[in-house]
Amino acid sequence: MFREGKADTIGLMVKVGTLIRVIRPEYAAGIQGIIQGREESGRWIVRLEQNLMNPNDVPLMLSLDESDFELIQPE
């Protein structure tokens, strides 16, 4: 079972290795990813588990604000 929620509202600490689900941008909404690191600006680098542009290519990396994803954590 998993507990889900927006990163800025559920009080769980976002850290490298955390599993997330993208909310925005729209082209990646619903895709799961893994936090890879944090930028100096405070945005999070996320490696997507799927590459919708080319499924046989390397994973896509996104730079996201905490409001752009929700955490997926084991209960």
Side-chain angles (χ1 to χ4, degrees), residues 2-49:
F2 289 97
R3 182 176 55 199
E4 301 175 7
K6 290 185 180 174
D8 59 351
T9 61
I10 63 172
L12 295 175
M13 190 168 128
V14 179
K15 60 184 179 182
V16 172
T18 300
L19 183 63
I20 63 97
R21 179 176 295 112
V22 177
I23 298 170
R24 286 179 291 279
E26 190 174 307
Y27 66 85
I31 299 175
Q32 291 185 359
I34 297 176
I35 300 288
Q36 300 296 299
R38 192 162 196 182
E39 298 180 67
E40 289 182 17
S41 66
R43 293 172 65 90
W44 293 93
I45 302 296
V46 175
R47 178 179 46 85
L48 298 182
E49 296 294 293

